[in-house]
Amino acid sequence: MAVNDAIYELRMKAKITQEEFAHIFHVSRQAVQKWENGTATPELSKLIEISKYFDISLDEMILQRSDRLMEALDYNAIKPHYATLDDRRFYPAFLEVEYRQSTEEGLDIEAYRDLFEAVARLPKNAFKKKLGDVLFEIVASAKHKEGYPYKEPSDLQSIRLLRKKCDIPLPVDRKTLKDKILGAWLGRIAGCMLGKTVEGIKLDELIPFLKETGNYPMHRYILKKDITDEICAKYRFPFKGRHYADEIDGMPADDDTNYMVLYQLLIDHYGRDFTPYDVSAFWLEAQKLNAYCTAERFAYINFVNGFEPPQTALYQNPYREMIGAQIRGDYFGYINPGDPEKAAEMAWRDASISHIKNGIYGEMYVSAMIAAAASTNHIEAIIERGMAEIPATSRLYEAICWLLNLYRSGVSQKDCFEQIHQKYDDRLRYHWLHTISNAVIVTASLLYGKGDYAKSICMAVEAGFDTDCNGATVGSILGMANGSACIPSIWTQPFRDILHTSVYTLSTVNISERAALTLSHIPTNP
C-alpha cells in the first residue's frame, strides 16, 4: 500500500472529509487531495503528525509494516489451527471414549455425563480444547465408585500379588526352538496380512462380503480379483486401495509387525534389562509419529512434550486400555521361551509407557501365552499360563473366564461368537478397539480352532473387530506352538521372505534372518 492509499484509508476509517483532514493538520484541502491522488507526498514532519494522530507507526504507514501488528501476531494470534488438526492429536475429539473408559475403570464421573456429551458435540476449536482440559482434570481427580468390584493396579508388584499362580511345567526343547520361532514370525505376519485387507470393516458387511466372494467360512486370503466395481458400490467399506495378497511385494508395513523388528532393535541397543524410559526414548528415535496408533500416538506426543513413563500413559490418553499394547508383546514371548513370567515382566515394562490396567494386562497375557507355547501346544494350558500373569481381580481375567466357561460347557463355536457379539458391539469405537473384547476373540479362536493354524486365524479375522491385530496374535501363538511346518505355504508364499516396516533403519528385512537373529536374544538355558 502506497502512502497516498494509506492516508485515504485513514481518513475514510475516521469518517472525516478532506476539509476536516486539512484543518486538523493545518494544510489546504488541495494539499490533501494531492496526497491522496499521489501527485504529492507529505513532508516528514506532516507524516509524523498523521501517524501520531491516528496512533500508527511510520513503518506501517510508509513501509506497510507494523511492529505492534507483529507483536499481536506473536502473542495473541499464534495458536494451532484446530479445525484442520488431526483428531488423533486432539484429546477432546475422543471425549465419548474417555467417558466410557473412565466409567469402566470405576471412576465416579456420572454427574458430568451431560457435560462430556455436550463438549464432544462442539466444533473443533480453542474453546473445545480448553473444555477438554477441564474434563481431563475431572477425570484425573475422580474417586473410585464405592463397591467397585475390581482391583486393577498398574504397577508390576501389585499385579503380581493378585495373580492366581499356575504350576504347569514348561520344558523347552532347544532342538525345535529355531523352527518354532520362525513359525511365530511367519504365523504373525500371515495372520496380520489376512486381517489387514479388511481392517476397520464391521461385521454386518464382513460376513455378507465373504459369502458373496465364496470365502465363507473364511479359508483363504481376500484377493484383488474378489473386488469388482459392483462390490465396491454395494458396501460402505472402502475396498479400493487396500493391500491384497495377490498384489503385494512382501508383507506391507503394519504396526502389528513393526513392533517385532522394533523390539529386536531395542534389545540389541539396551539389552534384556531395558527400562520403560528406554522404550519411550527408543520410540522417538526409531519411527515417526504416524507409525503409532491410538494410545501409542498420545503417549508419543506426551514423550515429545516432556512427560515420562508412567505419566505418558495417563495424561490425556483416552485409549489407555485399548488394544495397542496387546499387539506389541510378541517379541518378549519369543525371547523368553518357557518363561511366561519373564515375558510378562518385559511386556509390563513396554506396556506401562502407554497403557494402564487392562491395557497392560493384555500385553502381559499375550506375551506369556507365546512364551508358554514354546513348550506346549496344548491350547488350554497356553491360555491358563497367560492368565496366571495378570490379576485375577481384573475385568480381563473375568472376561477370559467367561469365555472358557462357554467353551468348557459345550457351547458351539457359532453360539459362542454370537454371545461375544452380544456382549461387545463392533460398531462402537470403544469395543472395536478395546483390549478385552479383542482378547476374548483371540482366546475363542485359539480354543475353537483347536490348534489348526488356518482355521484359527480365519476365525479370528471373520469375527470382526480389530481383524489384523487378532489374526496376527493368534497366528503368532500357533506358529510358536507348532512350528513353521504348521503353516501351509499358501499363507507364506505372498511374502517371499520379505517384511516391510516403517522403522527408520530397517525399512525392509528378510523374515528368516530376523527369526534367526531372535535366538541371539534368548538366554543360553531358557
Side-chain angles (χ1 to χ4, degrees), residues 312-372:
T312 47
L314 290 165
Y315 182 72
Q316 295 197 354
N317 188 348
Y319 287 117
R320 56 192 177 271
E321 275 198 331
M322 302 300 165
I323 195 175
Q326 187 164 284
I327 71 172
R328 300 194 329 238
D330 292 57
Y331 197 71
F332 306 129
Y334 297 171
I335 64 174
N336 290 290
D339 192 351
E341 185 173 67
K342 187 63 176 180
E345 180 204 324
M346 286 188 176
W348 176 86
R349 284 185 251 154
D350 172 55
S352 62
I353 73 172
S354 57
H355 287 71
I356 67 168
K357 301 181 180 182
N358 294 276
I360 293 174
Y361 311 155
E363 183 170 349
M364 298 177 76
Y365 174 56
V366 168
S367 299
M369 283 198 289
I370 292 171

Side-chain angles (χ1 to χ4, degrees), residues 24 115 195 240 266 270 367 387 415 454 468 503:
I24 292 169
L115 183 57
K240 290 185 177 178
L266 175 78
Y270 292 103
S367 299
M387 294 175 70
D415 288 344
D468 61 332
V503 179

Side-chain angles (χ1 to χ4, degrees), residues 203 205-220 222 413-414 417-418 458-459 461-463:
L203 195 70
E205 290 200 319
L206 176 58
I207 301 304
F209 166 74
L210 292 176
K211 290 180 176 178
E212 187 171 2
T213 54
N215 195 8
Y216 185 83
M218 201 174 199
H219 57 275
R220 61 170 174 82
I222 298 167
Q413 173 192 331
K414 179 177 179 294
F417 278 92
E418 284 181 357
C458 287
M459 200 179 298
V461 171
E462 187 182 286

Side-chain angles (χ1 to χ4, degrees), residues 413-429:
Q413 173 192 331
K414 179 177 179 294
D415 288 344
C416 176
F417 278 92
E418 284 181 357
Q419 289 196 47
I420 291 171
H421 283 95
Q422 289 169 8
K423 192 177 182 71
Y424 307 105
D425 188 347
D426 74 332
R427 294 167 297 181
L428 297 177
R429 177 164 51 181

Side-chain angles (χ1 to χ4, degrees), residues 188-478:
R188 180 165 186 79
I189 292 166
C192 178
M193 182 63 219
L194 179 65
K196 185 176 180 66
T197 303
V198 286
E199 181 185 10
I201 198 170
K202 301 300 181 282
L203 195 70
D204 62 354
E205 290 200 319
L206 176 58
I207 301 304
F209 166 74
L210 292 176
K211 290 180 176 178
E212 187 171 2
T213 54
N215 195 8
Y216 185 83
M218 201 174 199
H219 57 275
R220 61 170 174 82
Y221 283 123
I222 298 167
L223 305 175
K224 184 60 184 293
K225 66 182 181 181
D226 293 326
I227 311 303
T228 64
D229 291 340
E230 183 182 2
I231 290 284
C232 293
K234 186 180 296 186
Y235 295 94
R236 300 184 305 273
F237 182 76
F239 285 103
K240 290 185 177 178
R242 312 294 294 190
H243 291 286
Y244 295 94
D246 53 343
E247 285 195 331
I248 59 176
D249 62 341
M251 174 64 189
D254 189 279
D255 58 332
D256 292 83
T257 51
N258 285 340
Y259 288 113
M260 302 161 74
V261 175
L262 188 67
Y263 289 165
Q264 193 168 66
L265 294 175
L266 175 78
I267 301 298
D268 273 341
H269 190 75
Y270 292 103
R272 292 171 58 91
D273 295 326
F274 66 89
T275 66
Y277 181 81
D278 293 336
V279 181
S280 68
F282 197 66
W283 276 23
L284 293 176
E285 295 175 4
Q287 294 187 123
K288 62 183 179 181
L289 172 65
N290 288 346
Y292 302 95
C293 302
T294 59
E296 288 74 22
R297 185 168 298 199
F298 282 103
Y300 188 103
I301 292 169
N302 287 338
F303 304 155
V304 172
N305 289 335
F307 293 90
E308 293 186 4
Q311 287 82 11
T312 47
L314 290 165
Y315 182 72
Q316 295 197 354
N317 188 348
Y319 287 117
R320 56 192 177 271
E321 275 198 331
M322 302 300 165
I323 195 175
Q326 187 164 284
I327 71 172
R328 300 194 329 238
D330 292 57
Y331 197 71
F332 306 129
Y334 297 171
I335 64 174
N336 290 290
D339 192 351
E341 185 173 67
K342 187 63 176 180
E345 180 204 324
M346 286 188 176
W348 176 86
R349 284 185 251 154
D350 172 55
S352 62
I353 73 172
S354 57
H355 287 71
I356 67 168
K357 301 181 180 182
N358 294 276
I360 293 174
Y361 311 155
E363 183 170 349
M364 298 177 76
Y365 174 56
V366 168
S367 299
M369 283 198 289
I370 292 171
S375 298
T376 178
N377 60 6
H378 188 277
I379 298 300
E380 290 191 53
I382 291 170
I383 292 168
E384 289 171 1
R385 232 16 220 97
M387 294 175 70
E389 296 304 326
I390 67 174
T393 54
S394 65
R395 285 167 282 148
L396 177 58
Y397 193 95
E398 179 185 73
I400 298 167
C401 286
W402 169 77
L403 193 282
L404 278 168
N405 288 335
L406 291 181
Y407 176 75
R408 289 169 176 169
S409 64
V411 172
S412 68
Q413 173 192 331
K414 179 177 179 294
D415 288 344
C416 176
F417 278 92
E418 284 181 357
Q419 289 196 47
I420 291 171
H421 283 95
Q422 289 169 8
K423 192 177 182 71
Y424 307 105
D425 188 347
D426 74 332
R427 294 167 297 181
L428 297 177
R429 177 164 51 181
Y430 183 82
H431 281 163
W432 185 82
L433 281 170
H434 203 277
T435 291
I436 296 175
S437 51
N438 287 286
V440 165
I441 288 171
V442 166
T443 306
S445 301
L446 291 169
L447 289 168
Y448 286 95
K450 298 185 183 301
D452 183 295
Y453 176 82
K455 182 179 179 181
S456 301
I457 63 168
C458 287
M459 200 179 298
V461 171
E462 187 182 286
F465 290 85
D466 203 336
T467 52
D468 61 332
C469 294
N470 296 336
T473 298
V474 170
S476 188
I477 293 167
L478 292 179

Side-chain angles (χ1 to χ4, degrees), residues 31-85:
V32 174
Q33 187 178 41
K34 290 180 181 180
W35 292 347
E36 290 186 356
N37 65 27
T39 58
T41 301
E43 58 189 37
L44 180 59
S45 61
K46 288 299 178 187
L47 288 172
I48 293 172
E49 281 186 53
I50 293 168
S51 68
K52 286 182 177 179
Y53 183 87
F54 289 104
D55 192 28
I56 64 171
S57 67
L58 280 175
D59 274 354
E60 183 177 2
M61 196 161 131
I62 299 173
L63 303 176
Q64 295 82 57
R65 185 181 69 207
S66 170
D67 289 340
R68 279 189 291 271
L69 178 60
M70 291 175 68
E71 182 175 324
L73 285 172
D74 286 341
Y75 296 102
N76 298 319
I78 295 179
K79 65 182 71 172
H81 192 248
Y82 289 106
T84 57
L85 185 66

